[in-house]
Amino acid sequence: MSASPSVSVPGSAPGSAPRVGVWLIGARGSVATTVVAGCAALTADLHAPTGMVTETPLFAGSGLPPLASLVFGGHDTTDCPLPKRAEALAAAGVLPHGLPAAVTAELTATDREIKPGGPLPGDTRTPDELISAFTADLQDFVRRRGLTRAVVMNVASTEPAPTGTAPPPSSLYAAAALRAGCPYVNFTPSTGLDHPALASLAESADVPWAGRDGKTGQTLLRSVLGPMFAQRALTVRAWSGTNLLGGGDGAALADPAAAAAKNAGKERVVTDTLGTAPEGETHIDDVPALGDWKTAWDHIAFDGFLGTRMVLQTTWQGCDSALAAPLVLDLARLLARAHEAGLTGPLPELAFYFKDPTGEAPSALGEQYAALGRFAERLRRGARETTTTTAPGAPHGTPGGRS
């Protein structure tokens, strides 16, 4: 596969890294706001990149775009300005006190790049008309900001599974990403690219994509514990779980149809890693008072030597946006680099980040991390080839040949 063509970036100084767009679906939500504020904080050296795997030695020399080169925009159906949203998150303890004021300029700049999403109540546009409008917004963003490419990231609240043949909003945004020639990531359990109406478009698209449903808490722990029981030859009889969460996702997942998609991914990890389906179910409860914080309990009943009955109970308490944001930044950089290297189609090597990964991929976290390491080496080889084939005198970091 050939690498994407070089793009001249208007106004770029010699030696500067080409700019890469990150287009957020749900751009005024808690996760998106934390992503934008967090990236600005890291770029200004106000905080360490805790939680970002792409900032560990695993990805050294892989040619990932620098955080300072990322330019944010997106779609949303709400109109709360990002600086105000960030202030609310700081008041709730999600963002550090004082950070919104320190990165107001970056939040304001991103807010100007957020376009109305849809469909809104009363919107009479057809699905194809909506896709065309979203595609035009993306193309305008890339052209106007002089970007080499843009990665579309779905970080909106979970939508119910579709009941008819019409593609849901998440699929309209996914289709727009592919039509615009942009890599795509579905960080939610919503349908996105996995709708039958998008099958032919996905098959013919010349971009990479990954998803779905970011693995940030309970399922992350399950992907470690499941293999532990299997490898120690301990028989798991029952595995039950409960989640308490608030915020936009809590309200969305109060709908049983929306919660079903989320729970299916959580339970699939247990079944896949154990090799059998134990008794028990996973439940999600909306607790608005928790806001962006969540608590997850697991109760695991298992048998040991001579059938001795034992139990493992776990409690996971975390801030959803703070857990998700570094992964979103990782994925934006990884998809941008994959696109630059000419990779297309699903990227199962990124299963490390998802509950329900695209393509054939293991469910155990250790195996997923090993696959991620191999992907890092693949990008590293491509980065070396790009460096050696860059034309003399070309700006550093500009794609110069096949990866």
Side-chain angles (χ1 to χ4, degrees), residues 234-399:
L234 298 170
T235 302
V236 175
R237 293 182 292 105
W239 196 319
S240 301
T242 297
N243 294 262
L244 309 179
L245 69 161
D249 238 13
L253 293 170
D255 181 342
K262 190 87 169 177
N263 287 334
K266 290 176 177 288
E267 293 171 356
R268 187 180 302 108
V269 169
V270 170
T271 300
D272 288 351
T273 55
L274 293 178
T276 184
E279 295 178 4
E281 296 180 343
T282 303
H283 300 276
I284 297 176
D285 293 330
D286 176 29
V287 184
L290 291 179
D292 205 55
W293 301 82
K294 63 182 180 182
T295 297
W297 292 301
D298 271 305
H299 185 285
I300 308 163
F302 65 99
D303 290 345
F305 190 53
L306 304 179
T308 304
R309 296 287 177 94
M310 291 179 265
V311 168
L312 171 65
Q313 298 182 52
T314 67
T315 302
W316 178 284
Q317 293 179 303
C319 175
D320 202 41
S321 296
L323 289 166
L327 307 186
V328 172
L329 287 170
D330 275 352
L331 288 163
R333 302 173 81 192
L334 291 168
L335 268 291
R337 177 69 184 102
H339 189 226
E340 179 187 34
L343 305 183
T344 61
L347 297 178
E349 300 95 330
L350 301 185
F352 177 81
Y353 291 97
F354 300 104
K355 295 184 183 73
D356 191 13
T358 302
E360 294 295 325
S363 295
L365 191 69
E367 294 177 58
Q368 292 174 341
Y369 185 76
L372 186 65
R374 292 190 293 271
F375 186 69
E377 178 55 33
R378 185 181 183 186
L379 297 182
R380 199 155 27 243
R381 290 196 303 268
R384 287 196 293 267
E385 292 174 16
T386 298
T387 300
T388 58
T389 56
T390 299
H396 176 71
T398 302

Side-chain angles (χ1 to χ4, degrees), residues 45-189:
D45 290 327
L46 300 178
H47 289 272
T50 305
M52 288 191 64
V53 182
T54 55
E55 286 292 300
T56 66
L58 183 70
F59 281 96
S62 296
L64 302 182
L67 290 171
S69 73
L70 303 183
V71 180
F72 296 94
H75 281 117
D76 208 316
T77 55
T78 65
D79 56 7
C80 177
L82 275 188
K84 185 174 181 180
R85 181 69 172 142
E87 289 172 2
L89 291 176
V94 177
L95 295 178
H97 177 73
L99 181 61
V103 298
T104 296
E106 290 85 349
L107 291 166
T108 301
T110 297
D111 196 66
R112 288 196 292 263
E113 297 291 350
I114 299 176
K115 304 299 180 184
L120 293 167
D123 196 331
T124 59
R125 288 177 291 179
T126 66
D128 196 64
E129 288 172 335
L130 285 164
I131 294 171
S132 295
F134 298 155
T135 302
D137 288 338
L138 271 166
Q139 292 171 331
D140 176 67
F141 175 62
V142 172
R143 180 176 56 252
R144 186 168 39 77
R145 298 303 301 268
L147 308 175
T148 57
R149 56 187 50 82
V151 179
V152 176
M153 311 277 302
N154 182 14
V155 292
S157 294
T158 303
E159 67 186 10
T163 55
T165 57
S170 65
S171 296
L172 303 181
Y173 292 118
L178 268 54
R179 281 193 190 179
C182 296
Y184 172 77
V185 176
N186 187 3
F187 201 73
T188 80

